[in-house]
Amino acid sequence: MLSKISVVFGILILLNSCGVKRSMEDRPDITGIEKIDTTRTKISDNHYKIGKNSLYKNKHGIWELYVEGDALERGVISGSLTRELMHKQETAFMEKIYELVPKTGYRNFLKKTVAWFNRKMYLHVPEEYKQEIYGTSLFGLEKYNDFAPAYIRMLYFHGAHDIGHALQDLMLVGCTSFAAWNDKTEDGQLLLGRNFDFYAGDEFAEEKIAAFVNPDNGYKFMMYTWAGMIGSVSGMNQEGISVTINAGKSKIPLQAKTPISLVAREILQYASSTAEAIEIARKREVFVSESIMVGSANERKAILIEVAPGNFGVYEVENTNELVCSNHFQSEAYAKDNRNLKTIEESHTQYRFDKMQELLSEKEQLTPEKAADILRNKEGLKGSKLGMGNEMAINQLLAHHGIIFKPEERKVWVSANPYQLGAFVSYDLDEAFKSFERGNISGSVMTDETIAEDPFVNTEAYKDYEKYRKLSREINEAILVEEKVSEEKINELKFLNPHFWEVYKITGDYYFQQKEYKKAVIDYKQAKRREVTTLPDEEYLDKMIKKSYRRL
């Protein structure tokens, strides 16, 4: 007993030392912040302005944000304009944490652990971005200050994507992206598309922002994001450089360094070529593995910058006019990387890679409309049925957003809710920035090239999938607390999503817990007859079938 107390005491001392205090007290230079006008003019419930800066919600439910100026100005003004949206994002994120860690004692331990893990992050974030985050944080919710002060909390949030995929083997950020050019597109121009399959709860994905940023240094750029987020996961600048990020398999890091979204943001703001993008990525020290797809209008090509702690690679295709990225690395630098090789062998990343290549070969002479079709595809290889929500699909019915770039024309299409099934709303960066800079915006800056919503949204199959999501959560929670579920609900789950292997894994687990081992075996075997997502999933089913037989 004494040794356990000593270990806990030792951990607490560790969590309160090692630079934690210094990181909690670090603040950027905020000289002149008191001169920044934060007075927001409310034109309507969907329209706000501060000088030329504005926030407007278009008819597709997408917020269009314009901010200009230096880092502090951009941060303060965007925080003021988007304060309600930021509060909603912060509440969704923090309440999810509190739901997972309901007890006060454990929350205090979590708070100290997070502070210790992030103790070096401030050393790796450029001063400019610390200033911008600080400005935004002025409008954070005070009720979460007990977890961390607003500025520190906002800094932490920028590493959430990195930490999320580093700590889980489920690859819930299994994004897929592609680029095509020359004879692979209708007009020979570069065309890129991607799904951002980052999931932090339904509420987190409700309010999306097409942010147009006009910084005092660097290039103007647009990114698809959410309130409070100054990093970029998907974006394009005025030079025709597009950036998207795809998570790679990472070992669990011991401390945070540069969040990958801030690396992508720096490329957007300061790169005009793939060479400059590589130079920016190379100088930043990251703490997770990530593929950054960079498209270049002037070079009419796309590359992958593959970064990881202690490794760096660049992948360019030869003798072809297309580039595909799922969630494994392809450059020579990772050819013998055991973690990457294991990912290819055991996960669904190679399957999605192959499916994307299949779709690109089927859809010659790509257009933005055909790109949207690809991003919405729910089938497996050769049209096989995967079930709704399978991570083997390009469209996992999970995405925060889908996005399409046509860099040579400075055009971008972003998906409205739900997932990437809503309309892909079109923007022309050159025209949008001209309108914003004139300061007479009275509505949306979207163009008339919007791609219609996926007809699937209006089908019974889609309604069944949404019912399935709710019911599967209910049954999984019942399994967790060992409660009984009616046979009607078990049968309904199978009816709602009959081709998805995980349906039968869930019901098998339920029957196993209820000691109905014969039914458990039947459902586990039903799961194996379908497209099972990963090798570990296959092994789990085999193990549970054996355990069930032994108990019969």
XYZ file of all heavy atoms in Angstrom, residues 184-249:
508
model
N -5.857 13.517 -66.544
C -6.809 12.922 -65.598
C -7.974 13.853 -65.288
O -8.946 13.443 -64.650
C -6.106 12.546 -64.292
C -5.113 11.418 -64.409
C -5.783 10.097 -64.784
C -6.722 9.602 -63.707
N -7.312 8.282 -64.054
N -7.889 15.124 -65.709
C -8.988 16.053 -65.460
C -9.544 16.583 -66.775
O -8.878 16.543 -67.808
C -8.523 17.246 -64.593
O -7.482 17.960 -65.267
C -8.016 16.770 -63.243
N -10.758 17.079 -66.728
C -11.466 17.496 -67.940
C -10.732 18.600 -68.696
O -10.658 18.585 -69.924
C -12.873 17.970 -67.560
C -13.739 18.336 -68.743
C -15.123 18.770 -68.311
O -15.231 19.727 -67.517
O -16.104 18.150 -68.755
N -10.160 19.555 -67.971
C -9.485 20.675 -68.617
C -7.972 20.651 -68.410
O -7.290 21.609 -68.751
C -10.065 22.004 -68.112
C -10.031 22.113 -66.593
O -9.366 21.288 -65.951
O -10.681 23.034 -66.052
N -7.456 19.561 -67.856
C -6.014 19.438 -67.637
C -5.512 20.117 -66.378
O -4.351 19.944 -65.984
N -6.382 20.898 -65.710
C -5.969 21.615 -64.511
C -5.883 20.689 -63.300
O -6.491 19.616 -63.255
C -6.938 22.760 -64.210
C -6.913 23.875 -65.228
C -7.744 25.061 -64.770
O -7.905 25.321 -63.582
N -8.282 25.812 -65.733
N -5.132 21.138 -62.301
C -5.004 20.412 -61.043
C -6.325 20.443 -60.287
O -6.964 21.491 -60.167
C -3.891 21.052 -60.201
C -3.656 20.488 -58.795
C -3.185 19.043 -58.864
C -2.614 21.355 -58.052
N -6.731 19.282 -59.784
C -7.968 19.147 -59.017
C -7.682 18.263 -57.809
O -7.105 17.182 -57.958
C -9.069 18.534 -59.887
C -10.481 18.453 -59.299
C -11.096 19.842 -59.181
C -11.371 17.568 -60.164
N -8.061 18.717 -56.626
C -7.821 17.948 -55.407
C -9.119 17.798 -54.622
O -9.987 18.681 -54.642
C -6.781 18.631 -54.502
C -5.419 18.948 -55.110
C -5.372 20.399 -55.578
C -4.287 18.684 -54.115
N -9.253 16.673 -53.914
C -10.411 16.447 -53.063
C -10.012 15.693 -51.819
O -9.063 14.900 -51.844
N -10.725 15.948 -50.729
C -10.438 15.186 -49.512
C -11.641 15.163 -48.587
O -12.498 16.048 -48.618
C -9.253 15.799 -48.778
C -9.471 17.130 -48.073
C -10.080 17.033 -46.666
N -9.297 16.205 -45.802
C -8.371 16.649 -44.972
N -8.177 17.950 -44.870
N -7.691 15.825 -44.204
N -11.705 14.098 -47.753
C -12.646 14.028 -46.650
C -11.858 14.190 -45.358
O -10.806 13.560 -45.187
C -13.372 12.676 -46.622
C -14.416 12.557 -47.716
O -14.989 13.554 -48.145
N -14.667 11.339 -48.168
N -12.359 15.020 -44.456
C -11.724 15.187 -43.147
C -12.558 14.439 -42.123
O -13.574 14.933 -41.646
C -11.621 16.676 -42.795
C -10.921 16.926 -41.481
C -9.612 16.508 -41.286
C -11.567 17.592 -40.454
C -8.969 16.739 -40.074
C -10.936 17.834 -39.251
C -9.630 17.405 -39.055
N -12.133 13.222 -41.824
C -12.921 12.333 -40.976
C -12.544 12.446 -39.501
O -12.333 11.443 -38.825
C -12.767 10.884 -41.452
C -13.413 10.660 -42.806
O -14.546 11.100 -42.988
O -12.776 10.043 -43.676
N -12.455 13.674 -39.015
C -12.200 13.919 -37.595
C -13.543 14.024 -36.892
O -14.383 14.841 -37.269
C -11.395 15.203 -37.418
C -11.137 15.572 -35.977
C -10.266 14.821 -35.207
C -11.757 16.673 -35.409
C -10.015 15.166 -33.883
C -11.513 17.021 -34.093
C -10.635 16.269 -33.323
N -13.755 13.208 -35.851
C -15.046 13.205 -35.171
C -14.863 13.496 -33.684
O -14.138 12.788 -32.984
C -15.741 11.850 -35.351
C -17.112 11.797 -34.720
C -18.200 12.433 -35.320
C -17.324 11.117 -33.521
C -19.460 12.397 -34.745
C -18.589 11.073 -32.938
C -19.647 11.716 -33.551
O -20.900 11.683 -32.979
N -15.509 14.557 -33.213
C -15.459 14.906 -31.790
C -16.877 15.112 -31.263
O -17.114 15.924 -30.376
C -14.622 16.156 -31.581
N -17.823 14.361 -31.830
C -19.220 14.482 -31.434
C -20.030 15.247 -32.463
O -19.506 16.075 -33.212
N -21.321 14.978 -32.509
C -22.205 15.602 -33.492
C -22.260 17.122 -33.338
O -22.253 17.860 -34.330
C -23.626 15.024 -33.369
C -23.696 13.574 -33.830
O -22.729 13.118 -34.471
O -24.707 12.905 -33.545
N -22.328 17.605 -32.094
C -22.430 19.048 -31.873
C -21.183 19.779 -32.363
O -21.268 20.901 -32.862
C -22.648 19.337 -30.386
C -24.045 18.990 -29.897
C -24.284 19.440 -28.473
O -23.391 20.115 -27.898
O -25.358 19.134 -27.936
N -20.025 19.146 -32.240
C -18.777 19.778 -32.650
C -18.782 20.091 -34.148
O -18.154 21.053 -34.588
C -17.594 18.869 -32.313
C -16.254 19.522 -32.500
C -15.707 20.301 -31.501
C -15.541 19.359 -33.680
C -14.478 20.914 -31.668
C -14.313 19.974 -33.860
C -13.778 20.752 -32.845
N -19.497 19.275 -34.922
C -19.477 19.425 -36.386
C -20.628 20.258 -36.928
O -20.756 20.420 -38.141
C -19.494 18.041 -37.034
N -21.464 20.808 -36.058
C -22.661 21.501 -36.545
C -22.366 22.854 -37.192
O -22.983 23.214 -38.200
C -23.645 21.685 -35.377
C -24.347 20.405 -34.990
C -25.246 20.569 -33.779
O -25.284 21.680 -33.191
O -25.918 19.586 -33.415
N -21.471 23.632 -36.605
C -21.215 24.986 -37.087
C -19.851 25.067 -37.769
O -18.816 25.055 -37.104
C -21.274 25.994 -35.923
C -22.543 25.926 -35.099
C -23.766 26.456 -35.822
O -23.623 26.976 -36.948
O -24.866 26.364 -35.251
N -19.868 25.145 -39.093
C -18.623 25.183 -39.866
C -18.377 26.601 -40.395
O -19.324 27.330 -40.685
C -18.680 24.188 -41.023
C -18.884 22.738 -40.572
C -19.000 21.819 -41.763
C -19.095 20.360 -41.354
N -20.293 20.048 -40.574
N -17.098 26.930 -40.539
C -16.743 28.276 -40.968
C -15.821 28.228 -42.188
O -14.778 27.571 -42.162
C -16.028 29.047 -39.842
C -16.962 29.218 -38.634
C -15.542 30.403 -40.333
C -16.302 29.895 -37.448
N -16.228 28.936 -43.247
C -15.326 29.199 -44.374
C -14.638 30.519 -44.036
O -15.232 31.591 -44.153
C -16.111 29.309 -45.673
N -13.386 30.408 -43.554
C -12.674 31.585 -43.056
C -11.755 32.155 -44.131
O -10.908 31.436 -44.678
C -11.862 31.217 -41.815
N -11.921 33.443 -44.418
C -11.079 34.145 -45.376
C -10.178 35.079 -44.570
O -10.669 35.997 -43.899
C -11.936 34.920 -46.371
C -12.784 34.033 -47.246
C -14.009 33.548 -46.785
C -12.351 33.662 -48.507
C -14.788 32.723 -47.580
C -13.125 32.836 -49.308
C -14.337 32.360 -48.851
N -8.874 34.846 -44.636
C -7.928 35.551 -43.774
C -6.994 36.407 -44.628
O -6.370 35.915 -45.570
C -7.114 34.559 -42.920
C -6.173 35.303 -41.986
C -8.047 33.647 -42.122
N -6.902 37.686 -44.262
C -6.058 38.647 -44.971
C -5.014 39.174 -43.981
O -5.205 40.213 -43.351
C -6.926 39.791 -45.504
C -6.153 40.755 -46.387
O -4.942 40.641 -46.550
N -6.857 41.733 -46.943
N -3.891 38.446 -43.827
C -2.907 38.823 -42.809
C -2.018 39.970 -43.263
O -1.853 40.216 -44.462
C -2.085 37.538 -42.655
C -2.137 36.901 -44.006
C -3.495 37.241 -44.572
N -1.433 40.675 -42.296
C -0.531 41.771 -42.651
C 0.782 41.243 -43.213
O 1.487 41.953 -43.934
C -0.271 42.663 -41.440
C 0.411 41.934 -40.289
O 0.268 40.694 -40.197
O 1.086 42.594 -39.478
N 1.140 39.995 -42.899
C 2.328 39.339 -43.450
C 1.931 38.037 -44.120
O 1.107 37.293 -43.592
C 3.354 39.048 -42.347
C 4.003 40.314 -41.819
O 4.460 41.145 -42.599
N 4.030 40.463 -40.503
N 2.519 37.756 -45.277
C 2.210 36.515 -45.977
C 1.077 36.683 -46.973
O 0.702 37.796 -47.347
N 0.526 35.542 -47.401
C -0.509 35.532 -48.436
C -1.903 35.439 -47.839
O -2.114 34.866 -46.766
C -0.284 34.334 -49.374
C 1.082 34.324 -50.019
C 2.033 33.365 -49.676
C 1.439 35.277 -50.968
C 3.291 33.338 -50.268
C 2.692 35.278 -51.566
C 3.615 34.305 -51.199
O 4.854 34.305 -51.790
N -2.866 35.976 -48.557
C -4.263 35.786 -48.194
C -4.599 34.303 -48.395
O -4.085 33.657 -49.312
C -5.172 36.629 -49.087
C -4.881 38.113 -49.064
C -5.659 38.819 -50.177
C -5.155 40.227 -50.386
N -5.761 40.868 -51.561
N -5.485 33.805 -47.560
C -5.850 32.387 -47.708
C -7.255 32.146 -47.176
O -7.810 32.957 -46.436
C -4.848 31.486 -46.990
C -4.755 31.718 -45.503
C -5.550 31.008 -44.613
C -3.873 32.657 -44.984
C -5.465 31.226 -43.254
C -3.779 32.885 -43.624
C -4.582 32.160 -42.746
N -7.799 31.017 -47.596
C -9.101 30.564 -47.122
C -8.933 29.187 -46.508
O -8.148 28.360 -46.999
C -10.091 30.493 -48.299
C -11.436 29.870 -47.975
S -11.428 28.059 -48.229
C -13.096 27.699 -47.661
N -9.624 28.929 -45.409
C -9.603 27.583 -44.824
C -10.990 27.233 -44.294
O -11.770 28.118 -43.932
C -8.551 27.478 -43.719
C -8.709 28.430 -42.562
S -7.321 28.275 -41.403
C -7.836 29.434 -40.109
N -11.282 25.944 -44.298
C -12.570 25.459 -43.765
C -12.301 24.985 -42.354
O -11.471 24.100 -42.127
C -13.100 24.327 -44.636
C -14.606 24.174 -44.587
C -15.438 25.265 -44.360
C -15.205 22.941 -44.798
C -16.827 25.129 -44.333
C -16.587 22.791 -44.786
C -17.390 23.889 -44.547
O -18.763 23.757 -44.525
N -13.015 25.553 -41.383
C -12.601 25.379 -40.004
C -13.786 25.484 -39.059
O -14.944 25.338 -39.463
C -11.504 26.422 -39.675
O -10.989 26.190 -38.374
C -12.030 27.851 -39.784
N -13.509 25.763 -37.793
C -14.537 25.983 -36.783
C -14.065 27.105 -35.862
O -12.889 27.455 -35.835
C -14.830 24.706 -36.000
C -13.619 24.024 -35.431
C -13.051 24.231 -34.205
C -12.824 23.010 -36.071
N -11.947 23.422 -34.044
C -11.792 22.652 -35.167
C -12.892 22.374 -37.316
C -10.828 21.700 -35.478
C -11.928 21.418 -37.617
C -10.926 21.083 -36.709
N -14.974 27.668 -35.095
C -14.663 28.831 -34.261
C -13.586 28.504 -33.233
O -13.606 27.443 -32.608
C -15.924 29.317 -33.559
N -12.645 29.446 -33.076
C -11.574 29.280 -32.110
C -10.352 28.584 -32.654
O -9.322 28.524 -31.986
N -10.443 28.065 -33.866
C -9.352 27.304 -34.487
C -8.613 28.197 -35.479
O -9.167 28.600 -36.499
C -9.925 26.084 -35.218
C -8.892 25.263 -35.966
S -7.732 24.442 -34.863
C -7.105 23.152 -35.948
N -7.348 28.534 -35.177
C -6.572 29.331 -36.127
C -5.672 28.447 -36.977
O -5.126 28.885 -37.983
C -5.743 30.417 -35.411
C -4.546 29.802 -34.687
C -6.597 31.234 -34.472
C -3.302 30.612 -34.770
N -5.481 27.188 -36.559
C -4.749 26.231 -37.376
C -5.585 25.815 -38.564
O -6.783 26.116 -38.644
N -4.969 25.116 -39.512
C -5.698 24.712 -40.717
C -5.643 23.202 -40.913
O -4.593 22.576 -40.739
C -5.100 25.402 -41.948
O -5.770 24.981 -43.119
N -6.776 22.629 -41.281
C -6.827 21.219 -41.671
C -7.108 21.094 -43.167
O -6.761 20.092 -43.785
C -7.881 20.437 -40.848
C -7.507 20.432 -39.369
C -9.286 21.000 -41.029
N -7.745 22.122 -43.747
C -8.047 22.164 -45.179
C -8.058 23.619 -45.618
O -8.816 24.419 -45.050
C -9.434 21.565 -45.485
O -9.587 20.258 -44.980
N -7.249 23.978 -46.631
C -7.266 25.363 -47.061
C -6.490 25.610 -48.335
O -5.795 24.727 -48.845
N -6.597 26.839 -48.863
C -5.881 27.236 -50.075
C -5.565 28.721 -49.995
O -6.363 29.510 -49.482
C -6.714 26.936 -51.324
C -6.005 27.249 -52.647
S -6.884 26.597 -54.084
C -8.358 27.623 -54.083
N -4.389 29.114 -50.530
C -4.025 30.537 -50.491
C -4.113 31.189 -51.873
O -4.394 30.531 -52.872
C -2.644 30.721 -49.850
C -1.485 30.227 -50.723
O -1.613 30.034 -51.933
N -0.340 30.022 -50.098
N -3.854 32.504 -51.913
C -4.011 33.268 -53.142
C -2.996 32.890 -54.213
O -3.185 33.208 -55.393
C -3.881 34.765 -52.844
C -2.491 35.197 -52.441
C -2.392 36.681 -52.151
O -2.254 37.076 -51.013
N -2.478 37.507 -53.180
N -1.923 32.188 -53.830
C -0.923 31.721 -54.783
C -1.292 30.362 -55.387
O -0.544 29.815 -56.192
C 0.444 31.626 -54.097
C 1.001 32.962 -53.644
C 1.290 33.875 -54.821
O 2.156 33.510 -55.652
O 0.656 34.946 -54.912
N -2.434 29.819 -54.981
C -2.862 28.518 -55.509
C -2.192 27.349 -54.825
O -2.096 26.262 -55.396
N -1.743 27.544 -53.582
C -1.209 26.442 -52.778
C -2.334 25.914 -51.902
O -2.920 26.666 -51.108
C -0.030 26.913 -51.896
C 1.171 27.278 -52.751
C 0.344 25.838 -50.866
C 1.837 26.093 -53.452
N -2.663 24.642 -52.048
C -3.690 24.010 -51.210
C -3.018 23.083 -50.216
O -1.964 22.505 -50.500
C -4.697 23.236 -52.057
O -4.085 22.109 -52.670
N -3.625 22.945 -49.053
C -3.066 22.117 -47.986
C -4.172 21.309 -47.330
O -5.222 21.857 -46.973
C -2.359 22.984 -46.920
C -1.826 22.108 -45.793
C -1.233 23.792 -47.520
N -3.947 20.009 -47.173
C -4.819 19.157 -46.362
C -3.936 18.231 -45.542
O -2.803 17.927 -45.932
C -5.777 18.299 -47.215
O -5.016 17.441 -48.088
C -6.686 19.170 -48.056
N -4.437 17.776 -44.389
C -3.643 16.891 -43.527
C -4.331 15.548 -43.371
O -5.549 15.461 -43.287
C -3.370 17.530 -42.153
C -4.681 17.885 -41.423
C -2.497 18.765 -42.303
C -4.457 18.433 -40.016
N -3.527 14.496 -43.357
C -3.985 13.122 -43.166
C -3.171 12.470 -42.070
O -1.946 12.377 -42.167
C -3.817 12.298 -44.457
C -4.899 12.566 -45.475
O -5.127 13.704 -45.842
N -5.552 11.520 -45.935
N -3.844 11.981 -41.049
C -3.144 11.378 -39.920
C -2.412 10.104 -40.325
O -2.916 9.307 -41.105
C -4.139 11.058 -38.807
N -1.213 9.925 -39.771
C -0.462 8.691 -39.931
C -0.424 7.950 -38.613
O -0.823 8.471 -37.576
N 0.058 6.725 -38.626
C 0.151 5.931 -37.407
C 1.287 6.462 -36.540
O 2.424 6.558 -36.984
C 0.410 4.471 -37.760
C 0.386 3.538 -36.556
C -1.003 3.443 -35.980
C -1.073 2.360 -34.901
N -2.408 2.271 -34.304
